Amino acid sequence: TPALDLERLSPVDKWILTELDRAILKANEQLAVFRFNDAANALYHFFWHSFCDWYLELVKPALLGQGKTEEGRSAHSVMRYVLETSLKLLHPFIPFLTEEVWHLLGHTDSIMLASWPEPLLEDRFQKDVQGIRLFQDAVIGIRDLRMRLGLKPDQLLEEVRIGARTKEAAQVMREFEPQIAMFARVEKVSLAHDAKKTSGMIGKVYSQMEIFVAGLSPEVLRREEEHTKKKILQLETVIR
């Protein structure tokens, strides 16, 4: 497993390594009480969602640079470290597959001889981790609005306006604006400390941000209006 230079990690690298630490601790906790299914679920969630869905997509531009930049070299080292550590953690559950991939990575000894992973960071990068989670909240919020409005996952949204409710959230939104647009499939992301909802916009308020979708068709707006009226009638019935 490659050594990591913790001083040169990007915020995304720090986040995935923190998530890996938590997966290790969760797996150890569940294995200690023989809850094998819960341990497997924790590792599956980390590897499939945190590592594959989020991390690999976020560092893909750096990786495609063929390791020519410091960011690319760091991402490659972290990716390899997380992959090899994940193989060790998953080996008790899928031994033949992990053994095969282990050798494809260039190892000659069996993965069974590798040491069991230990947490690496001890929660030292909480500010960076919180920033990535705010970015994820923005993407998930836009996706939720897309689903609520009945829009197709591959449909490009014309504009999304995000109003950050804290300085920390505003900084993260500015830093990850291109990634938000890419992950949420948005043509234009507008950022403001206090986004104002105008006619033809539909949105939702979250703890640290407000998200509004603009540029919607009259049909979508009419459908959402009818849905909202039905919800109001249902609530009024319950109140009465």
Side-chain angles (χ1 to χ4, degrees), residues 217-240:
S217 68
E219 179 186 355
V220 172
L221 294 173
R222 188 164 50 250
R223 190 167 61 234
E224 178 63 15
E225 182 181 7
E226 292 173 357
H227 175 75
T228 302
K229 287 179 178 178
K230 287 180 182 178
K231 278 287 186 182
I232 292 172
L233 287 175
Q234 290 174 357
L235 291 171
E236 288 178 343
T237 303
V238 172
I239 293 171
R240 290 171 187 170

Side-chain angles (χ1 to χ4, degrees), residues 149-213:
L149 297 171
L151 303 176
K152 297 179 180 178
D154 61 347
Q155 180 177 341
L156 190 66
L157 297 178
E158 183 178 315
E159 181 184 0
V160 167
R161 298 181 187 178
I162 301 176
R165 308 180 80 180
T166 65
K167 291 181 179 179
E168 294 78 9
Q171 181 179 347
V172 170
M173 295 306 108
R174 285 193 297 270
E175 182 179 351
F176 286 93
E177 181 181 345
Q179 290 86 349
I180 292 171
M182 178 186 72
F183 272 75
R185 292 194 57 76
V186 178
E187 187 172 349
K188 178 183 178 183
V189 177
S190 300
L191 306 176
H193 179 68
D194 185 21
K196 300 295 183 182
K197 181 178 180 181
T198 59
S199 178
M201 293 171 57
I202 294 175
K204 191 172 181 179
V205 178
Y206 296 87
S207 61
Q208 297 201 54
M209 69 190 78
E210 297 173 291
I211 300 175
F212 300 105
V213 179

Side-chain angles (χ1 to χ4, degrees), residues 1-2 4 17 20 77-85 120:
T1 302
L4 299 176
L17 291 171
L20 176 60
S77 296
V78 171
M79 179 185 68
R80 171 115 186 182
Y81 177 88
V82 173
L83 177 57
E84 292 192 358
T85 304
L120 177 69

Side-chain angles (χ1 to χ4, degrees), residues 117-131:
E118 295 287 341
L120 177 69
L121 301 181
E122 299 177 352
D123 284 334
R124 71 176 74 178
F125 296 124
Q126 282 308 299
K127 183 177 180 181
D128 297 281
V129 170
Q130 182 60 27

Side-chain angles (χ1 to χ4, degrees), residues 128-139:
D128 297 281
V129 170
Q130 182 60 27
I132 299 299
R133 288 178 181 162
L134 283 172
F135 153 72
Q136 290 177 308
D137 287 344
V139 173

